[in-house]
Amino acid sequence: MRFYAICVYLFLYIPIGVIALFSFNAGRHASQLQGFSTKWYGKALSNPFVMDALETSLTVAFCSALFASVFGTMAAVALQGIRGPVRVAFDMLIYVAVMIPGIVIGIATLIGLVTVFDQLNPLIAAIWPEGFNPPKLRMGIGSLIAAHTMFLMALVVIIVRARLAGMDRALTEASSDLYATPMGTFRQVTLPMIFPAILAGFLLSFTFSFDDFIIAFFVAGSETTLPIYVFSSIRRGVTPEINAIGTMVMGVSLLLLISAQLLLQRGGRKSR
Amino acid sequence: MAIEAYTEVTLPADRKVVAELRGVSKSFGDVLAASDLNLSIGEGEFLSFLGPSGCGKTTALRMLAGFEAPSEGQVLLDGDVVNDLDAHNRPVNMVFQQYALFPHMTVTQNIGYGLRQVRPRIPKPQIAERVSRALEVVRLGGFDDRKIWEMSGGQQQRVALARAIINEPKLLLLDEPMAALDRKLRKEMQIELQDLQRQLGITFVLVTHDQEEALSMSDRICIMRDGRIVQIGSPQELYDRPNSRYVADFVGTSNFFDGTLQGSPEGLSTVLLDNGMQVQGMAGDGLVDHQDVCISVRPEQMKLSHQGDGVEVKVHNRIFLGEHTEYLVSHQTLGDFLVLAPRQADLTEGAFAVGDTATVSWEATAALILDRN
Ligand SMILES: Nc1ncnc2c1ncn2[C@@H]1O[C@H](COP(=O)(O)OP(=O)(O)O)[C@@H](O)[C@H]1O
Ligand SMILES: [Mg+2]
């Protein structure tokens, strides 16, 4: 049993380890190690295409994580207040949203947005004042953020809901018993207590958005995110530079995931 | 201001009423948690709801606090109907069963929470001063900046108490506040709570399933059963004049013998017990001729003698309790029952040993004729 488990882990992690190892390779070839060097990191970070893609990725990740956290928290708090079939239906839909494969979300969002844009663009052109160029809705950073926000929101709802469910109902009752208005109770009791979960949701969302290739591939339009850049570069062969980018992305993701996990653990302990 | 003790079943006419329940019922789906509650709570009173778990005590309290709206009837505070007034607008505070202290705030922040919600705002120094006074009152001076989870159960309870009383509420509601404390601490807190109530003059409404707690602390007790109030009275009244077997059984210990009422119930009446014995007893209110009743005799009202009038019993068990000796005796047709003999009786008459035969007697006025339910 142990032996098989070790095999599985090796199978999972050896490729990642190899990428990290070769990112420090002094030589140019991905087949033999030729001493230690960090020059590929320098090269990657000074490549304007990489930096452009990184900026796009960071912007998208930050905005979609922010929107997902805000709307997801609002949805979770609202769901906490209702019971019965409505809640059951919403709960199911949320789990479905998390489990749907990225490729389905990508295609569906693409088709949906294109259809909506095709309807809206003539309308906007029609009401736009004469002589000015009407703006045209198209795929790009906006559609990326929208698509990511939609699927990450479900994730935040699940995380925050778990935290809310673990919170003693007597605490909000005590707050209103002590003259706090519903808004005051939310601000002074509910929000501080679920904040670690919201932050964890934000970090997870950030990571997922930052790492996402499949959805971005469909809805990015002419924009290039870091995963898309890596994908298109790989078609021209795996270079140590790509390995360096991959290792950096992985390092940052891992760091964020660990922070999120710590936040969730600490938050859970404090509430008891 | 002196707060005199309550002894009357109903409030005296000159007592100011701070809260009132008028025909209040509450149902959760099919469950009728409270049913036709009628009650006036007087200013400065210490009132308890006593009953077994699930009888609707918490529900009654939550309707006073504003967490539940009555399905029927009216809740009044200071003469105004407050059915639709949200909890945060009611001048009432609650001490929760598990205290419900805010874990992300210090002791000081917890206690000052209510004052910080008041608009227009109370100046910060004034809040700080009142918080430190409240800390003194519950004897927690110096614990100001402690975190909640650094406090013991008893200390947490004091914080919860301070957090409520600092607002000088019209009513202080306490939902089984002592249930989570160990026995010794519970006794201490009971005394402290009583002192506090006298000192502050705040009206206390306590919920408990512990008869000893209710008896020792309350001016008046509402005995509840299946969502109804079955009797309201001072601890002494409930003990001496229970209106049903249920109350007699719940308040203190008693021996019950089933029978049928003979003749109209006026003062001393006759009951034909199921075993054919005829006994006299004091009839309670609302009984009718030939009704199925029971007689209730407290163990300490029974006298155990070596000979003389009375029912003949065999001593089954004997527990020495210091001031008293508790005998479990058995009678051929009446079954087993308890007799509590004072130490003095044991000394003058001689104690009984297990297996002895004895006679048990009681005054007719000590036997209460009660509804069987
Ligand atoms: N929110 C609720 N929903 C459904 N049933 C409830 C609710 N609150 C109380 N009940 C029911 O009402 C009855 C009385 O409960 P409660 O007032 O808590 O009793 P007590 O405090 O005397 O133990 C119980 O049968 C309980 O199950
Ligand atoms: Mg209860």
Side-chain angles (χ1 to χ4, degrees):
Chain A
M1 222 37 234
R2 239 235 200 95
F3 173 74
Y4 289 117
I6 290 171
C7 283
V8 168
Y9 280 112
L10 284 181
F11 183 72
L12 280 175
Y13 290 110
I14 279 186
I16 297 173
V18 167
I19 287 178
L21 185 68
F22 276 88
S23 71
F24 293 106
N25 189 2
R28 149 150 290 284
H29 297 289
S31 50
Q32 68 200 101
L33 283 168
Q34 291 172 338
F36 179 83
S37 159
T38 54
K39 70 175 173 187
W40 300 112
Y41 285 85
K43 199 145 179 245
L45 292 177
S46 59
N47 180 340
F49 293 111
V50 173
M51 294 317 282
D52 241 20
L54 178 65
E55 193 188 319
T56 309
S57 274
L58 286 177
T59 312
V60 170
F62 181 79
C63 293
S64 40
L66 187 70
F67 290 146
S69 309
V70 172
F71 296 135
T73 302
M74 279 161 61
V77 171
L79 277 175
Q80 191 68 11
I82 50 174
R83 319 229 160 268
V86 180
R87 180 156 162 182
V88 173
F90 264 97
D91 280 349
M92 260 163 35
L93 284 176
I94 283 163
Y95 280 104
V96 168
V98 170
M99 286 189 304
I100 286 180
I103 192 159
V104 176
I105 297 179
I107 294 173
T109 318
L110 177 67
I111 295 172
L113 286 179
V114 166
T115 313
V116 172
F117 290 172
D118 282 352
Q119 300 289 321
L120 284 182
N121 279 333
L123 273 178
I124 295 172
I127 59 165
W128 211 254
E130 288 292 323
F132 294 94
N133 245 356
K136 215 165 147 55
L137 298 173
R138 57 161 69 91
M139 305 311 266
I141 207 159
S143 57
L144 257 175
I145 293 174
H148 278 178
T149 302
M150 297 238 272
F151 110 94
L152 293 173
M153 219 168 83
L155 184 75
V156 174
V157 170
I158 288 175
I159 295 175
V160 174
R161 275 285 300 284
R163 189 75 189 75
L164 277 173
M167 208 175 121
D168 191 355
R169 190 169 67 120
L171 288 176
T172 47
E173 283 182 350
S175 170
S176 74
D177 185 57
L178 293 162
Y179 318 129
T181 58
M183 197 57 217
T185 297
F186 179 74
R187 201 165 43 74
Q188 298 170 89
V189 176
T190 313
L191 196 55
M193 295 206 55
I194 62 174
F195 193 71
I198 299 176
L199 204 58
F202 177 87
L203 293 180
L204 282 179
S205 300
F206 190 96
T207 315
F208 285 178
S209 167
F210 193 68
D211 292 348
D212 168 67
F213 167 72
I214 301 173
I215 299 174
F217 185 75
F218 285 98
V219 298
S222 58
E223 292 286 342
T224 305
T225 64
L226 204 54
I228 292 178
Y229 174 82
V230 170
F231 177 74
S232 49
S233 308
I234 281 178
R235 282 191 293 198
R236 279 176 272 121
V238 180
T239 61
E241 189 183 335
I242 293 295
N243 285 340
I245 296 172
T247 308
M248 284 192 284
V249 168
M250 210 156 56
V252 171
S253 301
L254 213 58
L255 209 69
L256 292 179
L257 288 179
I258 291 171
S259 321
Q261 188 56 36
L262 287 179
L263 275 172
L264 284 177
Q265 274 175 3
R266 209 194 56 168
R269 217 177 29 245
K270 251 195 190 171
S271 75
R272 257 161 247 146
Chain B
M1 183 178 68
I3 309 289
E4 71 270 16
Y6 270 79
T7 46
E8 296 85 349
V9 177
T10 49
L11 284 171
D14 58 345
R15 175 70 67 151
K16 189 169 171 256
V17 173
V18 285
E20 211 179 328
L21 298 177
R22 281 192 197 155
V24 168
S25 301
K26 175 72 188 178
S27 40
F28 297 103
D30 300 339
V31 181
L32 192 59
S35 156
D36 195 28
L37 305 181
N38 287 288
L39 171 71
S40 295
I41 304 172
E43 190 166 44
E45 183 179 15
F46 197 134
L47 182 100
S48 296
F49 284 100
L50 175 64
S53 172
C55 71
K57 308 178 297 287
T58 298
T59 304
L61 206 66
R62 289 171 61 84
M63 286 192 285
L64 284 168
F67 298 134
E68 309 284 2
S71 311
E72 264 172 64
Q74 295 173 320
V75 178
L76 288 89
L77 283 177
D78 263 346
D80 300 321
V81 177
V82 293
N83 282 24
D84 300 323
L85 200 62
D86 289 328
H88 67 268
N89 288 322
R90 293 197 191 186
V92 163
N93 288 118
M94 181 139 159
V95 175
F96 290 79
Q97 188 161 1
Q98 301 296 330
Y99 315 141
L101 298 172
F102 305 123
H104 58 294
M105 297 183 192
T106 62
V107 168
T108 311
Q109 286 167 337
N110 262 285
I111 297 176
Y113 191 89
L115 295 181
R116 289 203 302 279
Q117 313 304 321
V118 177
R119 300 290 179 273
R121 284 179 188 279
I122 302 172
K124 279 221 175 88
Q126 204 175 320
I127 292 181
E129 196 211 303
R130 281 174 70 177
V131 168
S132 70
R133 234 187 306 149
L135 276 168
E136 291 302 324
V137 169
V138 295
R139 303 197 289 119
L140 278 180
F143 283 87
D144 309 46
D145 294 324
R146 286 285 189 98
K147 295 273 189 286
I148 293 306
W149 67 84
E150 295 169 347
M151 314 278 284
S152 71
Q155 290 168 336
Q156 288 191 13
Q157 163 160 81
R158 283 159 206 243
V159 177
L161 210 51
R163 186 177 71 171
I165 60 172
I166 194 172
N167 307 297
E168 294 168 4
K170 287 250 160 24
L171 279 182
L172 183 69
L173 310 173
L174 305 114
D175 191 359
E176 311 230 4
M178 255 85 75
L181 303 181
D182 59 51
R183 204 182 149 71
K184 183 164 172 291
L185 204 53
R186 204 178 324 165
K187 280 262 168 277
E188 279 176 31
M189 279 310 296
Q190 285 174 7
I191 293 168
E192 240 174 84
L193 212 55
Q194 243 181 328
D195 284 349
L196 200 64
Q197 197 254 348
R198 297 217 178 91
Q199 185 188 329
L200 300 172
I202 296 177
T203 310
F204 277 37
V205 180
L206 174 86
V207 157
T208 180
H209 64 264
D210 180 348
Q211 56 142 317
E212 215 178 302
E213 189 169 293
L215 288 175
S216 65
M217 296 169 73
S218 323
D219 297 320
R220 283 196 306 161
I221 302 174
C222 291
I223 307 282
M224 287 193 71
R225 176 186 195 182
D226 298 339
R228 300 176 175 280
I229 296 177
V230 290
Q231 192 172 4
I232 307 176
S234 68
Q236 208 179 327
E237 272 166 345
L238 294 175
Y239 191 84
D240 292 341
R241 280 182 279 139
N243 67 2
S244 63
R245 174 178 178 150
Y246 177 82
V247 175
D249 201 18
F250 210 85
V251 179
T253 319
S254 200
N255 298 307
F256 301 101
F257 308 109
D258 287 348
T260 316
L261 191 60
Q262 305 283 297
S264 60
E266 264 173 50
L268 270 185
S269 315
T270 310
V271 171
L272 177 63
L273 294 183
D274 289 354
N275 70 348
M277 276 170 61
Q278 278 214 346
V279 293
Q280 297 254 297
M282 300 293 292
D285 295 333
L287 298 175
V288 292
D289 192 6
H290 283 94
Q291 187 177 337
D292 283 344
V293 292
C294 67
I295 65 163
S296 156
V297 188
R298 300 276 181 201
E300 73 273 14
Q301 305 270 24
M302 289 184 160
K303 190 169 178 307
L304 204 57
S305 358
H306 290 277
Q307 66 242 1
D309 288 344
V311 295
E312 195 160 298
V313 296
K314 209 170 166 109
V315 174
H316 225 69
N317 194 18
R318 170 175 187 268
I319 301 172
F320 180 67
L321 296 170
E323 279 177 61
H324 298 277
T325 307
E326 188 183 277
Y327 293 100
L328 177 67
V329 300
S330 79
H331 180 266
Q332 271 197 336
T333 48
L334 290 176
D336 291 356
F337 53 94
L338 288 172
V339 180
L340 203 61
R343 180 90 190 105
Q344 198 54 41
D346 272 4
L347 290 175
T348 53
E349 304 235 349
F352 294 82
V354 173
D356 284 0
T357 34
T359 54
V360 172
S361 59
W362 59 81
E363 299 285 329
T365 49
L368 301 178
I369 305 173
L370 301 172
D371 192 68
R372 257 195 220 175
N373 293 307

